[in-house]
Amino acid sequence: MPRRRIGFWYRFAAVICKPPLVALLKRDWRGMEHIPAEGGFITVVNHNSHVDPFAYAHFQYNTGRVPRFLAKSGLFKKGFVGAAMRGTGQIPVYRESTDALSAFRAAIDAVERGECVAFYPEGTLTRDPDGWPMTGKTGAARVALQTKCPVVPVAQWGCNELLPPYAKKPNLLPRKTHHVLAGPPVDLSRFYGKEMTADVLKEATEVIMAAITRQLEEIRGEKAPETPYDPRRERIEQRRRTQAQAEARAKAKAQADAQAEAQARAEAPGKQAEGQGT
């Protein structure tokens, strides 16, 4: 199957976005040989800056296989951004609605048409304190197991130094380097033919996230934590800490109230005697 035509909107977006990206970021891009020349496939990418979707799209645009990102449905509604999102074939995600599964159906259709779908499996910017990939959501695994397409793990680093996660102001100087390392496709063959239960999807997702993390370890030249940061587990722990703090405050208040009451009872006879003496 030949490479898909890039099309007007993607070329137009490239004309607008590439000059500032080239000005702001040096490039250390490796692993383009792992991007399939033809046929449908998935890339799975870590996410550590609001800038990195543009920088990563630049990397993959240069491979000749433009990505179709899953993006919030609100971006597709009106104006130039909406027209660009629709024109470049991005896939809207309707969260918490009856259309929530349509994104996965659209992703499967795109892969079966021979296109590339790019997933950010963490679902949001990493909250890991050191910028490592978090636990992933199962969407990419679900599409991969449904289509049995290649799943290319991609790690990136550097945009987070230009614009750190959740920061409002960029660090423009010195000029940062956008490091990208694409690896060979993840082997998910042991999951083929199995019922896509929650446990199977979870295990396949862990394999995918481990592959991304290995790529990032190579870029950074250091080892990631053995246990990935889990936002859900952290929220549970935070609730437990909050509850424990509330219980400790309530216990301390009860003890203080009891001490005050005991002291008042102890002082009462003396005050009564003083009253009788007068």
Side-chain angles (χ1 to χ4, degrees):
M1 183 180 293
R3 294 189 177 194
R4 187 185 188 278
R5 287 182 62 252
I6 290 177
F8 166 78
W9 276 106
Y10 239 120
R11 293 187 187 280
F12 184 63
V15 168
I16 293 175
C17 294
K18 285 177 72 172
L21 288 170
V22 170
L24 292 171
L25 293 164
K26 295 180 284 186
R27 289 173 288 174
D28 171 29
W29 292 350
R30 292 174 285 157
M32 283 188 178
E33 67 275 14
H34 296 301
I35 302 296
E38 55 185 33
F41 66 102
I42 290 171
T43 58
V44 284
V45 193
N46 66 309
H47 189 20
N48 53 34
S49 172
H50 286 301
V51 176
D52 68 42
F54 301 97
Y56 171 69
H58 185 193
F59 162 81
Q60 199 168 321
Y61 180 90
N62 279 25
T63 70
R65 300 299 310 272
V66 294
R68 310 299 172 191
F69 289 96
L70 278 72
K72 295 178 182 179
S73 59
L75 296 174
F76 292 75
K77 292 182 178 178
K78 294 181 180 180
F80 173 79
V81 172
M85 295 295 286
R86 295 189 298 272
T88 54
Q90 308 312 309
I91 299 171
V93 177
Y94 300 90
R95 297 180 178 178
E96 299 178 357
S97 75
T98 56
D99 292 328
L101 292 176
S102 64
F104 296 110
R105 289 194 292 268
I108 289 170
D109 289 345
V111 170
E112 290 179 343
R113 288 196 305 270
E115 299 186 22
C116 167
V117 177
F119 278 87
Y120 279 105
E122 296 163 277
T124 187
L125 286 168
T126 182
R127 294 184 181 274
D128 181 272
D130 296 317
W132 293 103
M134 304 186 292
T135 55
K137 299 184 183 299
T138 61
R142 187 183 297 276
V143 174
L145 297 184
Q146 180 73 28
T147 61
K148 297 183 176 62
C149 69
V151 179
V152 179
V154 183
Q156 58 182 336
W157 188 257
C159 289
N160 53 304
E161 296 173 343
L162 173 64
L163 184 68
Y166 308 104
K168 295 182 179 180
K169 294 183 179 180
N171 302 316
L172 299 178
L173 297 174
R175 188 173 174 225
K176 309 301 187 290
T177 299
H178 182 224
H179 304 272
V180 178
L181 180 59
V186 182
D187 183 7
L188 298 177
S189 59
R190 67 180 180 272
F191 301 107
Y192 294 166
K194 292 185 177 181
E195 183 182 355
M196 281 196 281
T197 63
D199 288 341
V200 167
L201 291 171
K202 181 176 182 292
E203 187 178 351
T205 299
E206 289 172 352
V207 172
I208 288 170
M209 296 309 299
I212 299 170
T213 301
R214 285 194 297 272
Q215 301 300 112
L216 189 56
E217 287 177 332
E218 184 171 341
I219 289 174
R220 295 176 61 174
E222 56 184 302
K223 294 292 292 183
E226 289 187 9
T227 303
Y229 182 94
D230 185 342
R232 182 174 177 274
R233 183 175 62 236
E234 181 60 27
R235 286 194 297 271
I236 293 171
E237 290 300 323
Q238 181 60 47
R239 284 197 295 268
R240 288 176 179 170
R241 288 193 294 267
T242 301
Q243 183 177 356
Q245 291 168 357
E247 290 173 353
R249 288 194 296 268
K251 184 178 180 180
K253 183 178 184 303
Q255 290 174 342
D257 290 345
Q259 291 173 354
E261 184 178 349
Q263 184 176 355
R265 285 199 302 266
E267 294 174 352
K271 292 181 179 179
Q272 185 177 6
E274 290 177 4
Q276 291 174 351
T278 59

